[in-house]
């Protein structure tokens, strides 16, 4: 296996592990063998009964650069995952997205930065919003995968199950 395929396989396995870490219904995650999760040490916090779902807003799961013969690439988000811990009255989250980039007829070799935003909202209040960028090496004829993880999310521990995590591409103004 060459270095590129090894890195690609490692990225996909990492994304699969991240996705497997939580269930889709917001319940406490189970280990891959179905056993309950271990309780973390006090310094890491505890796994809460509630971990907010990730939502992709309409128009944010796909990013197109150009169209027709001028299409450079189409990037798409194919899976999401999250991990939650409660420590000192705060909900600390890691949110991950995995995707791929398909080059178009006008693709040029080089590195591109995919603009990704993660936001946590409670009702109409934005508790967290951060713009990031994921570097992807694009080459015509190659379909690279990517994994982006935001591990810096900290919000007050919710008293009800009313948080929403939004993840997606965002070409708007950076924070």
């Amino acid at each position: 296996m060459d270095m590129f395929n090894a890195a690609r396989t490692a990225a996909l396995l990492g994304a699969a592990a991240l996705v497997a870490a939580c269930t889709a219904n917001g319940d406490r995650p189970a280990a891959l063998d179905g056993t309950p999760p271990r309780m973390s040490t006090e310094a890491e916090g505890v796994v809460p009964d509630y971990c907010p779902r990730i939502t992709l807003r309409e128009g944010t799961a796909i990013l197109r650069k150009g169209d027709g013969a001028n299409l450079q690439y189409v990037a798409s988000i194919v899976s999401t995952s999250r991990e939650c811990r409660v420590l000192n009255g705060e909900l600390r989250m890691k949110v991950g997205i995995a995707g791929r980039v398909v080059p178009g007829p006008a693709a040029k070799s080089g590195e591109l930065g995919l603009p990704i935003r993660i936001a946590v909202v409670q009702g109409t209040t934005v508790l967290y919003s951060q713009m990031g960028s994921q570097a992807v090496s694009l080459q015509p004829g190659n379909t690279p995968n990517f994994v982006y993880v935001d591990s810096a999310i900290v919000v007050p521990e919710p008293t009800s199950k009313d948080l929403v995590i939004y993840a997606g591409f965002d070409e708007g103004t950076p924070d």
Side-chain angles (χ1 to χ4, degrees), residues 80-143:
T80 63
S81 184
R82 78 272 191 242
E83 176 184 304
C84 295
R85 302 265 183 199
V86 173
L87 179 64
N88 298 327
E90 296 176 324
L91 181 62
R92 297 165 183 255
M93 294 181 277
K94 289 183 185 178
V95 172
I97 64 172
R100 68 177 150 259
V101 180
V102 178
K108 297 176 184 168
S109 294
E111 192 166 292
L112 59 101
L114 299 175
I116 298 171
R117 179 175 300 279
I118 306 295
V120 179
V121 177
Q122 186 173 38
T124 59
T125 304
V126 177
L127 301 176
Y128 176 90
S129 180
Q130 187 64 46
M131 176 74 93
S133 181
Q134 178 60 49
V136 176
S137 180
L138 186 65
Q139 296 181 16
N142 183 20
T143 304

Side-chain angles (χ1 to χ4, degrees), residues 39-50:
M39 293 308 288
S40 61
T41 65
E42 192 171 307
E44 296 172 329
V46 295
V47 177
D49 290 331
Y50 168 67

Side-chain angles (χ1 to χ4, degrees), residues 7 12 15 24 28 48 51 71 79 84-85 88 93 102 121 132 140 145 159:
L12 287 174
R28 182 178 293 184
C51 189
L71 180 66
S79 64
C84 295
R85 302 265 183 199
N88 298 327
M93 294 181 277
V102 178
V121 177
N145 295 307
T159 56

Side-chain angles (χ1 to χ4, degrees), residues 60-84:
T60 66
I62 296 176
L63 177 63
R64 298 176 66 92
K65 281 296 185 183
D67 57 6
N70 295 321
L71 180 66
Q72 297 170 31
Y73 64 86
V74 176
S76 60
I77 296 172
V78 296
S79 64
T80 63
S81 184
R82 78 272 191 242
E83 176 184 304
C84 295

